[in-house]
């Protein structure tokens, strides 16, 4: 295994005709030699003189040799091909051997016999091959690497992909996977998302339970903002369990005791600093409070639990009123 890649010996679990294996090193071919411009001009000159001299040669002598034979063979090949197509034989051939051009390329030694995949840790080789549509009936010569790359990059887990051919028989695929960044709850479902908000998969694996948790429309694309707020909470960040994006503008934090902390759209970090101070001085998170509203800079509004609200109401009833006509 090299660089997070997974390599298999000549495959048995994959479609017949190719295997996932270790990449073979390829050499650089020597650069082609070019004819000198003077030589090219001389050849063009000779060519033009031949055309002038041939103007008086009979037509049958100017035609290429075996032209009639070639045209005859082409005609009969077309007739045979049409007959095979009408009889359904071509479809049978394609089902058994693949497209004719791929079959022809395989017969001359350009079949797809080896696939090397690297850069995967969360995906399997089977998932990569399924995404590309690669099978043993294809040939290396006629594979479109750009099409394969685009297919791979449509897979949510794949951030980027490169695909290249190593002639005569090997295809090399290198992937960069997206990393799980947070869990997003939307319309009652849980999704694992990447840092850019892309949905990677449904939340089906317990190993993601420790990821940050965001809720609400558009919260997936704003998860970085939420994490910045968590960091701004300083000593209270371990008590923050989730963040809900409200109307796409501001966050409400859910604390570990079920309390909601409503933050303003602007100045959310400053509001969290006030919360840290309130907790230090008054232990506000330990009180019978359902929600703390920090959206106004000059005051803190709290919503008491039902029991706390009833107790406060009773206490106010028993408290003597001061003022005119009232005994103290």
């Amino acid at each position: 295994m090299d660089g997070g890649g997974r390599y298999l010996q000549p495959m048995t679990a994959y479609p017949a005709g190719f295997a996932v294996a270790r990449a073979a090193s390829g050499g650089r071919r020597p650069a082609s030699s070019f004819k000198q411009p003077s030589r090219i001009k001389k050849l063009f000159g000779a060519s033009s003189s031949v055309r002038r001299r041939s103007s008086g040669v009979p037509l049958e002598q100017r035609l290429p040799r075996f032209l009639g034979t070639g045209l005859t063979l082409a005609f009969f090949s077309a007739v045979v091909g049409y007959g095979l197509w009408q009889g359904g034989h071509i479809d049978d051939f394609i089902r058994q051997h693949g497209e004719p051009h791929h079959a022809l390329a395989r017969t001359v030694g350009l079949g797809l016999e080896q696939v090397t995949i690297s850069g995967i840790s969360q995906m399997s080789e089977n998932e990569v091959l399924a995404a590309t549509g690669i099978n043993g009936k294809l040939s290396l010569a006629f594979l479109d690497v750009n099409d394969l790359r685009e297919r791979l990059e449509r897979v949510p887990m794949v951030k980027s992909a490169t695909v290249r051919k190593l002639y005569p028989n090997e295809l090399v695929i290198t992937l960069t996977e997206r990393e799980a960044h947070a869990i997003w709850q939307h319309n009652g479902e849980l999704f694992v998302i990447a840092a850019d908000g892309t949905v990677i998969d449904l939340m089906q694996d317990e190993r993601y339970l420790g990821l940050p948790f965001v809720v609400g429309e558009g919260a997936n694309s704003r998860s970085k903002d939420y994490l910045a707020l968590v960091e701004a909470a300083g000593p209270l960040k371990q008590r923050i369990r989730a963040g809900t994006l409200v109307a796409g503008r501001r966050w409400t934090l859910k604390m570990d005791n079920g309390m909601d902390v409503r933050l303003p759209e602007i100045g959310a970090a400053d509001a969290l600093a006030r919360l840290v101070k309130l907790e230090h001085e008054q232990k506000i998170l330990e009180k019978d409070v359902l929600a703390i509203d920090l959206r106004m800079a000059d005051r803190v509004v709290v919503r008491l639990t039902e029991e706390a609200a009833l107790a406060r109401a009773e206490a106010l009833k028993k408290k003597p009123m001061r003022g005119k006509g009232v005994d103290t």
Side-chain angles (χ1 to χ4, degrees):
M1 182 177 297
D2 184 15
R6 298 182 182 178
Y7 307 109
L8 303 180
Q9 296 303 319
M11 63 185 297
T12 56
Y14 302 105
F18 69 93
V20 177
R22 183 179 299 275
S25 61
R28 187 183 298 273
R29 294 184 179 180
S32 301
S33 59
F34 297 90
K35 297 180 180 179
Q36 296 297 326
S38 59
R39 175 61 176 166
I40 294 173
K41 292 179 180 178
K42 186 174 181 181
L43 288 175
F44 278 126
S47 167
S48 60
S49 63
V50 170
R51 284 197 296 270
R52 287 195 297 271
R53 288 197 301 269
S54 65
S55 59
V57 179
L59 177 63
E60 61 273 11
Q61 296 183 19
R62 283 187 280 147
L63 292 175
R65 295 183 64 186
F66 308 114
L67 176 62
T69 302
L71 290 175
T72 302
L73 290 175
F75 172 76
F76 281 110
S77 297
V79 171
V80 171
Y82 180 77
L84 291 173
W85 176 70
Q86 287 288 86
H89 299 293
I90 290 183
D91 292 336
D92 292 338
F93 178 87
I94 291 175
R95 280 193 296 270
Q96 294 180 17
H97 305 286
E99 296 288 341
H101 57 288
H102 284 296
L104 179 61
R106 294 199 307 272
T107 61
V108 297
L110 296 177
L112 181 59
E113 298 178 2
Q114 188 168 293
V115 178
T116 299
I117 303 171
S118 62
I120 57 174
S121 60
Q122 301 180 72
M123 297 181 68
S124 67
E125 288 88 355
N126 279 330
E127 289 174 325
V128 175
L129 295 177
T132 59
I134 291 175
N135 59 63
K137 297 178 182 179
L138 301 177
S139 66
L140 191 67
F142 292 105
L143 279 180
D144 185 341
V145 293
N146 290 325
D147 177 64
L148 295 179
R149 176 182 55 79
E150 290 173 359
R151 290 188 186 187
L152 287 167
E153 291 182 347
R154 285 196 291 268
V155 177
M157 181 64 76
V158 177
K159 183 177 182 180
S160 63
T162 59
V163 183
R164 59 193 179 96
K165 302 177 183 179
L166 289 181
Y167 283 98
N169 306 114
E170 184 178 1
L171 186 71
V172 178
I173 299 174
T174 304
L175 301 179
T176 300
E177 294 178 326
R178 288 187 170 92
E179 295 183 3
H181 178 72
I183 300 172
W184 175 41
Q185 180 177 320
H186 182 57
N187 291 335
E189 292 191 283
L190 298 178
F191 304 92
V192 179
I193 60 173
D196 60 0
T198 301
V199 174
I200 295 176
D201 200 355
L202 286 171
M203 172 59 184
Q204 299 173 330
D205 196 326
E206 292 184 356
R207 62 179 168 163
Y208 297 127
L209 289 177
L211 292 176
F213 192 80
V214 293
V215 183
E217 183 74 31
N220 57 319
S221 60
R222 297 275 301 276
S223 60
K224 288 184 178 179
D225 297 340
Y226 166 70
L227 292 181
L229 289 176
V230 171
E231 289 301 317
L236 298 181
K237 68 179 182 179
Q238 298 298 330
R239 302 197 60 179
I240 300 174
R241 290 294 174 262
T244 299
L245 186 64
V246 181
R249 302 194 313 270
R250 65 170 192 84
W251 291 94
T252 292
L253 306 181
K254 179 70 73 174
M255 310 305 289
D256 57 358
N257 59 358
M259 185 184 300
D260 289 334
V261 177
R262 297 167 184 166
L263 300 177
E265 181 179 355
I266 300 173
D270 294 335
L272 279 172
R274 292 164 58 202
L275 179 66
V276 171
K277 184 178 180 181
L278 286 170
E279 174 63 15
H280 177 71
E281 295 177 352
Q282 303 180 30
K283 300 296 181 183
I284 192 170
L285 296 180
E286 310 304 323
K287 299 184 182 299
D288 292 333
V289 174
L290 287 177
I292 303 175
D293 195 335
L294 299 172
R295 287 179 290 177
M296 291 179 284
D298 60 343
R299 71 192 67 181
V300 176
V301 179
V302 297
R303 179 185 174 190
L304 300 176
T305 63
E306 185 175 351
E307 294 80 4
L310 289 174
R312 178 176 173 78
E314 290 296 328
L316 289 175
K317 288 179 182 179
K318 296 178 181 179
K319 184 176 181 180
M321 299 295 291
R322 296 179 181 273
K324 186 177 179 180
V326 177
D327 294 333
T328 60

